[in-house]
Amino acid sequence: MVMKDISITDLSADIRTAIAELKKRPEIEQTGIVTRVGDGVVWIYGLTTCGYNEMIEIDATDGSSVTAFAFNLSEDEIGGVLLGEDTLIKAGAKAKLTGKVLEVPVGPELVGRVVDPMGNPIDGKGAIKTTMTSAVEKIAPGVLSRKSVHEPLMTGITAIDAMVPIGRGQRELIIGDRQTGKTAIAIDTMINQHQQNTGVVNIYVAIGQKMSKVARLVERLKREGVMDQTIVVATSAADPASLQYLAPYAATAMGEYFRDNKQHALIIYDDLSKHAAAYRQMSLLLRRPPGREAYPGDVFYLHSRLLERSAKLSDDLGAGSLTALPIIETQAGDISAYIPTNVISITDGQIFMETNLFYQGIRPAVSVGLSVSRVGGSAQTKAVKSVAKSLRIDLAQFRELAAFSQFSTDLDPETKQSIERGQRLTELLKQPQYSPYGVWQMFTMLLAATEGIFDKVPLDKIKTAEAALLRDLKHDHPKIVEGLNTGAEPADEDKTKILNLAKSVAKAYEHIAEVKKEAK
């Protein structure tokens, strides 16, 4: 339905009469008349005291009422976004203010459930009996209410925990082209919270996703045992723009409950590119002038007021945290496009997924050069930090040298050795999906690699040698494994035991390579 600009004189005689009657009454501040409706938005004359995001009840043709929330506040007209069917509302219908801003149910009762942005269950498991509600939009905690990010939030992915560590209360952007493993990183992080028994509550927000994809994700989380500490807030591409727009704000309100009650929560926005598209649709329908008041100019404010709510609270406020992993989809790797640039400037770093690496089989396809964590080592476990110092530089140098060496046949021994080491590091950092590593696994693997113990192991045997080393360490030295899992840096004698074990494993695989050479 296409709506053209309408003045009061263009309206039908019935609606003009209703407006004239309304003007005579003292309750014009609280009641109004629908002048236009269509495409999920409604225009209401009156409601002069209405506030932004205030809920409005509109009489429907079937005798019930449909809820809308105020989005445009003009001098004598309100532009509202409907949360129900617009077919049930006709021009001339009465509207009244509720005196409440848009709210959603919050609390521990939502954990383990799949809900829509209004908190209604969509998993077929019956009603959710919550006792508390929270405003969908809130002001983010101020500087004095926060504490610096210092506790690690382990993803279980070695490439990330070693090079771009994430802390509780941080906002780390996951960015890349479609189908490069962005959601996979988020899911593995959720699985790792369960496997490491961190007590972190996961909140996954699907914005305009296929419901079949959401159903598969929920099934996987159930299989991994993660759903018991997860809330899924889902909207499909078929849902109205209003619900897609509200989904991340509503989910953040649910996460803030845990943050404000001395607990820790992780929220994943999948993805904010679709969120911006839903906002654009609403802006166009409500005839907002493009620029500062609407898409594209207002997108910075759209996402900043959402992501600023993720924080690590001060000790006085209970030291709870809400960590955000927003996802942004790029077009042909264009990291400097408008929305990616916005979200990069709002967040505390980004993990850039490189398409070329993904198709080369290097997964997760984390770009060493473009990925960064602005919180850095302060949110890293001491164990991983002690062995990951040179990892980023080694990998960056290797990728430069590997590109250069394609044009050269004669390589000096030092360059050759750097390439050999880089190839093995790259191989070790490959990690299958749904298999997050513990701290002890990361430390052991990185120690062996950075000390050059695996340099002589054939490239095709690296992952086998790694598995053998981890198996032997767990079997022969369970106390070292236990100590490493606390995150503390191990004693020198424990490091020596791990290195000796790694040398014996490496020697076995070097010997196999030599035997194969002789056989040839």
Side-chain angles (χ1 to χ4, degrees), residues 173 300 308 339-348 350 374:
L173 172 64
F300 182 90
E308 287 294 338
I339 293 170
T341 312
N342 268 347
V343 187
I344 285 169
S345 64
I346 296 162
T347 50
D348 308 310
Q350 70 275 348
R374 295 190 189 107

Side-chain angles (χ1 to χ4, degrees), residues 239-297:
D239 283 330
S242 56
L243 287 181
Q244 292 183 43
Y245 163 80
L246 284 174
Y249 293 105
T252 305
M254 294 169 190
E256 281 174 328
Y257 167 83
F258 299 101
R259 183 199 71 191
D260 297 342
N261 282 280
K262 304 181 183 181
Q263 291 174 267
H264 304 281
L266 164 71
I267 187 162
I268 292 144
Y269 304 104
D270 194 5
D271 64 76
L272 292 185
S273 306
K274 291 190 180 75
H275 183 235
Y279 175 75
R280 177 182 62 188
Q281 186 179 328
M282 286 165 54
S283 293
L284 288 166
L285 290 168
L286 285 163
R287 301 195 162 280
R288 288 182 155 198
R292 280 191 173 186
E293 280 131 54
Y295 189 94

Side-chain angles (χ1 to χ4, degrees), residues 335-516:
I335 199 170
S336 62
Y338 181 67
I339 293 170
T341 312
N342 268 347
V343 187
I344 285 169
S345 64
I346 296 162
T347 50
D348 308 310
Q350 70 275 348
I351 297 163
F352 183 67
M353 310 301 287
E354 213 169 312
T355 312
N356 290 341
L357 293 180
F358 186 84
Y359 290 125
Q360 285 169 28
I362 300 167
R363 298 173 191 176
V366 177
S367 165
V368 183
L370 292 172
S371 300
V372 65
S373 171
R374 295 190 189 107
V375 172
S378 56
Q380 203 170 17
T381 57
K382 286 179 181 173
V384 174
K385 192 176 182 179
S386 67
V387 287
K389 286 171 188 170
S390 64
L391 184 63
R392 181 189 278 274
I393 295 165
D394 288 349
L395 275 174
Q397 282 177 343
F398 157 65
R399 290 197 183 148
E400 286 292 319
L401 287 170
F404 171 74
S405 67
Q406 291 174 341
F407 307 104
S408 174
T409 48
D410 302 333
L411 294 172
D412 61 274
E414 200 177 314
T415 305
K416 203 169 184 181
Q417 201 260 337
S418 289
I419 291 171
E420 292 280 331
R421 173 82 55 89
Q423 285 173 335
R424 278 148 186 79
L425 273 174
T426 302
E427 201 63 32
L428 283 167
L429 289 176
K430 288 182 186 176
Q431 205 169 323
Q433 200 179 346
Y434 312 123
S435 308
Y437 283 177
V439 176
W440 73 274
Q441 291 164 304
M442 289 182 199
F443 177 86
T444 306
M445 181 188 83
L446 290 171
L447 181 68
T450 53
E451 290 289 331
I453 292 166
F454 281 175
D455 283 3
K456 296 282 193 300
V457 175
L459 203 57
D460 61 339
K461 295 290 180 191
I462 282 286
K463 292 304 277 183
T464 320
E466 179 205 342
L469 170 60
L470 294 175
R471 186 178 61 244
D472 291 352
L473 182 67
K474 194 176 182 183
H475 183 265
D476 299 346
H477 303 287
K479 280 190 177 174
I480 293 178
V481 169
E482 206 176 298
L484 282 170
N485 266 344
T486 63
E489 191 177 347
D492 289 343
E493 59 190 69
D494 288 342
K495 274 188 189 177
T496 308
K497 284 177 186 173
I498 294 168
L499 288 170
N500 289 338
L501 198 59
K503 282 171 187 170
S504 64
V505 169
K507 205 164 270 182
Y509 283 95
E510 285 168 34
H511 176 67
I512 291 167
E514 284 165 15
V515 169
K516 278 186 179 178

